[in-house]
Amino acid sequence: LKLGYTPNTIARSLVLNKTYTIGVVIPEISHSFFPEAIRGIDEVAHKAGYHLILMHSAENNRRERDAIQTLEGKRVDGILLSASTGADDRTYYERVVRIGVPLVFFDRCIRGVGATCVSIDDEASAVRITEHLISHGYTRLAHLSGPMGVSIGIERLSGFREAARRNGITVPNEAVIESGFHEEGGYAAMKKALSLPPRVRPRAVVAVNDPAAFGAIKAVQDAGLRVPDDVAVVGFSDDIRAPLISVPLTTVRQPAYQLGRLAAQKLLKLIEGRGRNPEEIIVSTEIVLRDSCGHHPASD
Amino acid sequence: LKLGYTPNTIARSLVLNKTYTIGVVIPEISHSFFPEAIRGIDEVAHKAGYHLILMHSAENNRRERDAIQTLEGKRVDGILLSASTGADDRTYYERVVRIGVPLVFFDRCIRGVGATCVSIDDEASAVRITEHLISHGYTRLAHLSGPMGVSIGIERLSGFREAARRNGITVPNEAVIESGFHEEGGYAAMKKALSLPPRVRPRAVVAVNDPAAFGAIKAVQDAGLRVPDDVAVVGFSDDIRAPLISVPLTTVRQPAYQLGRLAAQKLLKLIEGRGRNPEEIIVSTEIVLRDSCGHHPASD
DNA sequence: TTGTACGCGTTATCAA
DNA sequence: TTGATAACGCGTACAA
């Protein structure tokens, strides 16, 4: 079969009812987390002879639904999905698992639809980084939160609250501000936080992710204040830019590549029939201490 | 057709001989250029009803060849490809165009195989940024080059040489050092440059891309020298990190998103039969002046 | 071993 | 208009 002729995989797929293709749906492509995750996914998929079809939902619910539809039509062997914001309607996720197409969420999960979820322990990580702030004497805390329709939005907020509760700190409602996942949202949310009355104006802020934290830092600086002296800021992801910005960012390192690998491995297991049941796969994180939280690693 | 049943696209593709799928082959996924380019590609592909299958060649020639083979087998309607390093064997590119599968290169092109190429004007851009250095009085120049098997490697070197020639500057052979496209390579190459005898030791360095420039800056600093006071460094890409590193990097901005859009638009034209002939599509660049070249934008 | 007919799920064609 | 049927290119099962 060396001759100038390439066998038609799609005819093959039709008869075998197998495409050796997995669909990957992501809400974002430029945030460095996702390229890294894709690299991990591709790594294990490629070794197992599978290929990736990439769908970019662009944080758009409708596009996400269409993407799933398209992937079903293309008869992918399985789907890897990181949920876009505002996923109010879960029926189409449920339909995917009902139809029997293996589905695993990564990073941004939808619970209760019977699919596996591969993520960090968002709540526990949020507790840890918040307690780190508290242990450094901060008591006026705020959270720049993600959308409440997405697992990481809910769970990071919940961890933040839990840490406060455990340490007897009350968090006023105005101190939880939805910022979304981007720099602009972080900037706007921080501005709002800074305009709070002095009694509740935060001295330390936990942002839902690094881009939001970048925006928050900028807002602090634009207000003529300093990070961390006036306001401490921490994030989530360990974005590629986190160590490089004017005030290097303390953050929770999220092992994107590893997350991608694990998600793909679990999906392949499902596809190949071993391990039928959904799981919760948690990968551990570490806090990366830099300057933005008022703790100087060098002084340790 | 609202009922619980998804039409089988692949059977459809088989009879129509059309998949509404385009293959995207990239050598790298983490370098911020490619995610941005993919975003541009997806933007126009999505609007036209096409989907992306993503192949990561990981700078590996064999994987790139396999990727093309796979895409042919999957009967994609067209291929978008950015060549991996060391593409010594062009026969498989030629076969793609001979078979009649629309092929367009983006960023890293292979010339002379009859395919369209969408890229920046690498040579002219290299001339401009090199002349910028020269106009600031630098005469001992070096180039950290990309691999010579890849268009951007060849052309950026060629532009560097041309700028020197035009200005009556001789570039010794030892001052052109292959660094490859990564930070580590840039670091090693710069170390080599610094160990050159004083007469030829460079005062200004043009790196083939930003990651290589990052490595070079680190090497300069690790040698106890300063950028730009002792050695000026410039890059190519305007990587997301370029403005953030310790010495903000002067670089050639490469409009990745726009490049992706144009490549996808041309490919769709080829697929849909309008515009049969290969083209050279050049998108213009601009030099982004920052601190690493000894020119302080604020002082303009 | 080598070969031939059928089926996979769709669209297209042609007859009714 | 509607409905039956061939064809897309490959696996497979069965026959020779």
Side-chain angles (χ1 to χ4, degrees):
Chain A
L1 7 105
K2 263 285 178 287
L3 293 155
Y5 151 79
T6 311
N8 187 328
T9 313
I10 90 169
R12 183 168 201 273
S13 297
L14 189 57
V15 44
L16 290 189
N17 205 18
K18 171 100 184 151
T19 56
Y20 289 97
T21 299
I22 78 187
V24 179
V25 186
I26 55 171
E28 199 117 354
I29 172 84
S30 298
H31 182 358
S32 58
F33 173 81
F34 287 103
E36 270 305 291
I38 290 174
R39 199 166 62 82
I41 291 167
D42 183 73
E43 184 76 21
V44 348
H46 178 259
K47 277 205 181 112
Y50 287 77
H51 309 113
L52 265 40
I53 139 158
L54 181 72
M55 305 292 252
H56 181 213
S57 64
E59 297 287 15
N60 179 328
N61 234 237
R62 186 180 155 67
R63 274 183 70 163
E64 183 174 285
R65 208 190 54 214
D66 290 351
I68 292 175
Q69 188 76 20
T70 300
L71 292 174
E72 279 177 14
K74 284 185 178 290
R75 296 296 189 270
V76 294
D77 296 332
I79 296 177
L80 250 26
L81 190 147
S82 196
S84 72
T85 58
D88 41 347
D89 178 13
R90 304 166 160 231
T91 57
Y92 54 94
Y93 301 121
E94 283 161 356
R95 198 171 52 88
V96 172
V97 332
R98 181 156 31 83
I99 304 261
V101 179
L103 170 66
V104 359
F105 291 102
F106 65 101
D107 190 46
R108 304 208 207 154
C109 305
I110 307 285
R111 315 281 175 182
V113 296
T116 286
C117 172
V118 178
S119 68
I120 61 169
D121 188 339
D122 286 288
E123 176 159 358
S125 301
V127 168
R128 276 171 57 213
I129 198 158
T130 306
E131 289 199 321
H132 175 81
L133 290 172
I134 294 172
S135 74
H136 278 68
Y138 295 106
T139 53
R140 291 214 313 273
L141 269 30
H143 179 53
L144 310 188
S145 87
M148 286 302 111
V150 174
S151 60
I152 62 176
I154 299 170
E155 290 162 22
R156 290 176 191 178
L157 166 58
S158 156
F160 169 80
R161 284 222 148 97
E162 172 65 13
R165 197 192 58 71
R166 283 191 201 165
N167 293 272
I169 294 175
T170 37
V171 175
N173 286 336
E174 318 90 86
V176 173
I177 307 173
E178 185 157 331
S179 66
F181 294 128
H182 297 104
E183 190 164 338
E184 308 77 48
Y187 186 91
M190 189 71 224
K191 249 180 104 170
K192 217 178 283 181
L194 291 174
S195 68
L196 254 28
R199 271 190 326 103
V200 290
R201 187 180 309 148
R203 286 289 324 274
V205 169
V206 177
V208 69
N209 71 358
D210 283 359
F214 299 154
I217 288 177
K218 195 155 185 308
V220 171
Q221 293 172 333
D222 284 1
L225 300 172
R226 301 180 44 134
V227 175
D229 310 347
D230 298 304
V231 185
V233 176
V234 300
F236 254 87
S237 309
D238 199 20
D239 188 282
I240 194 171
R241 292 163 289 176
L244 301 173
I245 57 171
S246 59
V247 183
L249 183 69
T250 289
T251 185
V252 174
R253 174 170 296 149
Q254 211 173 347
Y257 176 77
Q258 182 66 3
L259 232 63
R261 285 187 59 93
L262 287 170
Q265 279 162 358
K266 173 63 181 178
L267 185 68
L268 289 181
K269 265 188 205 154
L270 290 174
I271 288 173
E272 287 160 13
R274 339 166 243 137
R276 205 84 217 92
N277 38 350
E279 299 178 66
E280 284 291 322
I281 299 176
I282 305 294
V283 358
S284 61
T285 58
E286 55 179 318
I287 293 182
V288 186
L289 292 177
R290 300 201 182 92
D291 299 345
S292 70
C293 63
H295 171 103
H296 292 260
S299 70
D300 249 337
Chain B
L1 7 108
K2 263 285 180 284
L3 293 155
Y5 154 76
T6 311
N8 187 328
T9 313
I10 91 167
R12 184 168 201 272
S13 297
L14 187 59
V15 45
L16 291 187
N17 205 19
K18 171 101 184 150
T19 55
Y20 289 96
T21 299
I22 77 187
V24 179
V25 186
I26 58 172
E28 201 116 353
I29 174 82
S30 299
H31 183 358
S32 59
F33 172 83
F34 287 103
E36 270 305 290
I38 289 173
R39 200 167 61 84
I41 292 167
D42 183 74
E43 185 76 21
V44 349
H46 178 259
K47 276 205 181 112
Y50 286 77
H51 309 114
L52 266 38
I53 139 157
L54 181 71
M55 304 292 251
H56 181 213
S57 64
E59 297 287 15
N60 179 329
N61 235 236
R62 186 181 155 66
R63 274 183 71 161
E64 183 174 284
R65 208 190 54 213
D66 290 351
I68 292 174
Q69 188 76 18
T70 300
L71 293 173
E72 279 177 13
K74 284 183 177 292
R75 295 296 188 270
V76 294
D77 296 331
I79 296 178
L80 251 25
L81 189 148
S82 196
S84 72
T85 58
D88 41 348
D89 178 13
R90 304 165 160 232
T91 57
Y92 54 95
Y93 302 121
E94 282 160 357
R95 196 169 55 88
V96 171
V97 332
R98 180 155 32 84
I99 305 261
V101 178
L103 169 66
V104 358
F105 291 102
F106 66 101
D107 189 47
R108 302 205 207 156
C109 305
I110 307 286
R111 315 281 176 182
V113 296
T116 285
C117 171
V118 179
S119 68
I120 61 169
D121 189 338
D122 286 288
E123 176 159 359
S125 301
V127 168
R128 278 170 58 213
I129 198 156
T130 306
E131 289 200 320
H132 175 81
L133 290 171
I134 294 171
S135 74
H136 279 67
Y138 295 106
T139 53
R140 292 216 311 276
L141 270 29
H143 179 53
L144 310 187
S145 87
M148 286 302 110
V150 174
S151 61
I152 63 177
I154 299 170
E155 289 162 23
R156 291 177 191 176
L157 167 57
S158 157
F160 169 78
R161 283 223 149 95
E162 172 64 13
R165 198 193 55 73
R166 282 190 201 167
N167 292 273
I169 293 175
T170 37
V171 175
N173 287 335
E174 318 90 85
V176 173
I177 306 173
E178 184 156 333
S179 65
F181 294 128
H182 297 104
E183 191 163 338
E184 306 78 47
Y187 187 90
M190 189 71 222
K191 250 179 105 171
K192 218 179 281 182
L194 291 174
S195 70
L196 254 27
R199 272 188 328 101
V200 290
R201 190 180 305 149
R203 286 290 324 275
V205 169
V206 178
V208 68
N209 70 358
D210 284 0
F214 298 154
I217 288 177
K218 194 153 185 309
V220 171
Q221 293 171 335
D222 284 1
L225 301 171
R226 301 180 45 135
V227 176
D229 310 347
D230 298 305
V231 184
V233 177
V234 300
F236 255 87
S237 307
D238 199 21
D239 188 282
I240 195 170
R241 290 163 291 175
L244 301 173
I245 57 171
S246 59
V247 184
L249 183 68
T250 289
T251 186
V252 174
R253 174 171 296 149
Q254 209 172 350
Y257 176 77
Q258 182 65 3
L259 232 64
R261 285 187 60 92
L262 287 170
Q265 279 163 357
K266 173 61 181 179
L267 185 68
L268 289 181
K269 267 189 202 151
L270 290 174
I271 288 173
E272 288 161 11
R274 343 166 237 136
R276 204 85 218 92
N277 39 349
E279 297 179 67
E280 284 290 321
I281 298 176
I282 306 294
V283 359
S284 60
T285 58
E286 55 179 318
I287 293 181
V288 186
L289 293 176
R290 300 200 182 93
D291 300 347
S292 70
C293 63
H295 170 105
H296 292 261
S299 69
D300 249 339

